[in-house]
């Protein structure tokens, strides 16, 4: 759906407020934009990563082959999706797990027959820190998920979020508007509906 279509759907949910009497268009847009941020913050990154834009930034490695990625106000929970080893001109394999010390294990990261030479480049991501191996990596490019652009009232504007998430977005926006009108029961009903759908999506990712 385009943004104007989302606004129309939201109007019908709000007691057929097609004349924008109870809530004007700007209020509805603000509610939709707030819903986008909530959806991105609560949904597993695997669900939203295919439809969201990424931002590239360069970082120098500090002690122990670690860089701390800071000043990313538009990032979604430090959703780092790609790391380029610029020192060796190759992408890092991002390894799962929670122990960066594993990167010093030659067996795990690929030692060639005991020679001590690491094959490829590897990275582990923890919060806003990226640990890399081998130690020869001095500079990396990092791509991270950024929040979708704000919606605007234009016939050409379209949400960057996948269309399969639009119903949840509408539920969250509806809840936001009912809250602002102090209609807590209606707000809770819409919010609970959204949260139930988000839980289903997150459970599906966890079971895969």
């Amino acid at each position: 759906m385009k943004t104007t279509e989302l606004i129309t759907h939201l109007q019908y949910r709000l007691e057929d407020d097609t004349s924008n009497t109870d809530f004007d268009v700007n209020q509805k847009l603000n509610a939709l934009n707030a819903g986008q941020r909530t959806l991105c913050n609560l949904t597993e990154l695997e669900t939203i990563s295919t439809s969201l834009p990424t931002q590239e930034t360069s970082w120098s490695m500090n002690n122990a082959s670690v860089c701390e990625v800071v000043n990313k106000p538009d990032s979604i929970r430090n959703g780092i999706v790609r790391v380029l080893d610029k020192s060796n001109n190759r992408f890092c394999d991002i390894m799962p797990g929670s122990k960066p010390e594993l990167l010093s294990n030659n067996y795990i990261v690929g030692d060639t027959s005991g020679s001590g030479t690491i094959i490829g480049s590897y990275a582990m991501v923890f919060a806003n820190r990226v640990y890399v191996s081998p130690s020869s990596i001095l500079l990396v490019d990092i791509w991270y998920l950024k929040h979708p652009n704000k919606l605007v009232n234009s016939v050409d504007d379209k949400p960057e979020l996948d269309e399969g998430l639009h119903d949840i977005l509408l539920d969250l926006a509806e809840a936001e508007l009912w809250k602002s009108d102090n209609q807590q029961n209606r707000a809770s009903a819409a919010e609970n509906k959204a949260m139930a759908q988000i839980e289903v999506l997150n459970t599906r990712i966890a079971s895969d």
Side-chain angles (χ1 to χ4, degrees):
M1 283 186 280
K2 292 186 175 181
T3 300
T4 51
E5 293 174 307
L6 285 174
I7 293 173
T8 299
H9 278 273
L10 192 54
Q11 288 170 337
Y12 286 119
R13 287 170 175 242
L14 300 166
E15 294 185 336
D16 201 13
D17 185 32
T18 53
S19 60
N20 298 311
T21 302
D22 297 323
F23 307 98
D24 63 33
V25 171
N26 283 333
Q27 287 176 298
K28 290 166 183 169
L29 274 174
N30 288 338
L32 286 166
N33 284 316
Q36 281 195 136
R37 296 192 73 87
T38 299
L39 184 54
C40 289
N41 286 330
L42 296 181
T43 308
E44 291 290 340
L45 295 179
E46 290 88 341
T47 300
I48 56 178
S49 61
T50 57
S51 59
L52 288 181
T54 57
Q55 180 70 44
E56 179 185 0
T57 183
S58 293
W59 295 89
S60 297
M61 308 310 296
N62 57 24
N63 295 333
S65 297
V66 180
C67 70
E68 189 166 356
V69 185
V70 295
N71 298 325
K72 303 195 285 71
D74 59 346
S75 70
I76 301 176
R77 304 195 309 278
N78 300 299
I80 295 171
V81 293
R82 191 184 307 170
V83 179
L84 173 67
D85 168 8
K86 295 194 74 173
S87 299
N88 298 295
N89 195 31
R90 59 196 179 197
F91 282 101
C92 295
D93 290 324
I94 298 180
M95 299 176 63
S98 58
K99 296 181 179 180
E101 60 269 22
L102 291 176
L103 287 175
S104 64
N105 187 315
N106 286 338
Y107 177 78
I108 292 176
V109 299
D111 181 4
T112 57
S113 303
S115 66
T117 301
I118 293 175
I119 305 172
S121 301
Y122 301 83
M124 283 186 177
V125 178
F126 304 93
N128 66 331
R129 290 190 175 188
V130 177
Y131 298 80
V132 298
S133 181
S135 58
S136 60
I137 301 175
L138 301 177
L139 184 66
V140 294
D141 275 359
I142 291 172
W143 284 261
Y144 59 88
L145 292 177
K146 62 184 290 291
H147 278 280
N149 292 327
K150 284 189 174 182
L151 303 176
V152 297
N153 187 23
S154 167
V155 293
D156 297 321
D157 193 55
K158 188 175 181 179
E160 292 175 302
L161 284 171
D162 187 271
E163 192 160 342
L165 300 172
H166 288 185
D167 279 341
I168 303 176
L169 175 58
L170 285 167
D171 290 331
L172 291 169
E174 180 185 351
E176 188 77 16
L177 290 168
W178 288 134
K179 285 179 188 176
S180 70
D181 201 39
N182 201 29
Q183 298 200 43
Q184 298 304 322
N185 288 338
R186 289 182 170 184
S188 295
E191 187 172 71
N192 290 341
K193 182 181 175 184
M195 294 305 170
Q197 294 177 81
I198 290 172
E199 184 178 1
V200 169
L201 290 175
N202 289 345
T203 302
R204 185 181 302 163
I205 290 295
S207 62
D208 286 345

